[in-house]
């Protein structure tokens, strides 16, 4: 290290008094000239996407913004506000819940698609190996609420198909996802349709995003819903709201239960 300025090094931003450059682009040339999805791509990837690539990314971001207060992260944001947290605190509380089980399926699905794409083994063997490592759930397929179909997935896949026809993406990851969907249906004897995580993972993989960024992009998208719910709860008021109304109690399973 030759100087204290070498403590951090970055390809992302350069700055001097009166000047800001992001990935080499003066900020004043980006403002009003690029969309937010283009900016996300530039910051995370280092280059500028085509308009068609940015539109496909935008579709994935729009699709995943919210899933209502039944989603633990959304409920957490609303509860946090009633406990006195400001919007930024509520958002941080919620985003911190977007981990492997709630929020990580998109990243896992990209990893799975990549494994299928690079493997010479039959799909059934790849899925068996995946389950041996990660458990019985195959990320991106099935939904505990949306049955028989998650309405977001077919729309996103149709956009991927259009993009593949236009030469924007290859379409091979959409094909892999459909193969997995068919394999799961054959295994279960009933449809196990792709969900929002599986469909957005198709888009992220088609666009060349590494798997870890898939989770980060989902966090960006879901933060819009989190912000909306936290702000709405601020307007509605409420104090110390728990996960259930006060009249409902938990199920006690220990000794000496209270009898009503």
């Amino acid at each position: 290290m030759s100087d204290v300025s070498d403590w951090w090094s970055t390809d992302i931003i350069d700055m001097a008094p009166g000047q800001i450059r992001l990935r080499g682009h003066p900020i004043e040339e980006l403002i009003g000239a690029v969309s937010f999805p283009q900016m996300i791509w530039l910051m995370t990837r280092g280059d500028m996407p085509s308009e068609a690539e940015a539109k496909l990314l935008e579709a994935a971001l729009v699709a995943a913004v919210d899933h209502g207060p039944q989603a633990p992260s959304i409920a957490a944001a609303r509860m946090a506000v009633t406990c006195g947290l400001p919007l930024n605190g509520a958002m941080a509380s919620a985003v911190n819940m977007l981990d492997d089980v709630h929020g990580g399926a998109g990243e896992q699905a990209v990893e799975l698609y990549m494994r299928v794409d690079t493997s010479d083994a039959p799909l059934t063997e790849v899925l068996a190996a995946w389950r041996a490592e990660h458990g019985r759930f195959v990320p991106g397929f099935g939904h505990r609420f949306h049955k028989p179909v998650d309405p977001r997935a077919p729309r996103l896949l149709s956009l991927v198909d259009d993009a593949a026809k236009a030469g924007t993406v290859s379409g091979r990851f959409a094909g892999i996802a459909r193969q997995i969907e068919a394999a799961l249906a054959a295994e279960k004897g009933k449809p196990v349709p792709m969900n929002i995580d599986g469909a957005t993972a198709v888009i992220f993989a088609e666009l060349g995003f590494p798997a870890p960024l898939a989770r980060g992009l989902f966090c960006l998208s879901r933060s819009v819903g989190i912000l909306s719910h936290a702000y709405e709860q601020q307007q509605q008021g409420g104090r110390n709201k728990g996960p259930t109304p006060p009249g409902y109690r938990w199920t006690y399973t220990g000794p000496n239960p209270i009898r009503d």
Side-chain angles (χ1 to χ4, degrees), residues 3-213:
D3 186 81
V4 71
S5 63
D6 294 327
W7 183 256
W8 299 113
S9 63
T10 178
D11 291 337
I12 298 171
I13 185 169
D14 193 17
M15 198 160 59
Q19 296 185 70
I20 302 172
R21 294 181 185 174
L22 299 174
R23 300 288 192 181
H25 298 267
I27 186 65
E28 62 271 20
E29 294 180 7
L30 296 171
I31 297 171
V34 302
S35 67
F36 193 47
Q38 286 175 313
M39 197 65 187
I40 292 170
W41 185 302
L42 175 65
M43 292 293 284
T44 58
R45 302 276 291 274
D47 61 346
M48 191 69 73
S50 68
E51 186 173 332
E53 289 172 327
K55 285 190 69 174
L56 193 57
L57 172 59
E58 184 176 41
L61 295 173
V62 167
V65 293
D66 190 19
H67 203 242
Q70 68 169 352
S73 55
I74 300 294
R78 299 191 76 120
M79 285 190 290
V81 165
T82 71
C83 293
L85 271 69
L87 290 179
N88 61 306
M91 292 179 72
S93 299
V95 169
N96 279 336
M97 296 185 72
L98 299 177
D99 213 308
D100 285 348
V101 175
H102 173 46
E107 176 181 2
Q108 296 155 13
V110 172
E111 290 175 351
L112 175 58
Y113 298 162
M114 296 288 186
R115 183 178 297 192
V116 173
D117 187 49
T118 57
S119 176
D120 295 325
L123 177 60
T124 53
E125 291 184 13
V126 177
L127 290 177
W130 177 273
R131 282 167 159 160
E133 294 175 27
H134 300 279
R136 65 188 181 90
F137 292 105
V138 177
F141 297 87
H143 202 288
R144 61 191 176 90
F145 182 80
H146 294 296
K147 301 179 185 301
V149 176
D150 183 333
R152 300 163 292 187
R155 174 58 178 159
L156 290 176
L157 282 180
S158 73
L159 294 175
V160 174
D161 291 341
D162 291 343
K165 289 176 184 176
T168 304
V169 297
S170 69
R172 74 180 189 275
F173 290 103
I176 287 170
R178 286 180 168 124
Q179 290 170 23
I180 294 173
E181 188 176 53
L184 293 176
E187 174 188 302
K188 299 289 187 182
K190 62 180 181 179
V192 185
M194 199 179 314
N195 60 35
I196 180 65
D197 298 307
T200 54
V202 166
I203 290 179
F204 298 146
E206 291 282 356
L207 292 175
F209 282 93
L213 281 179

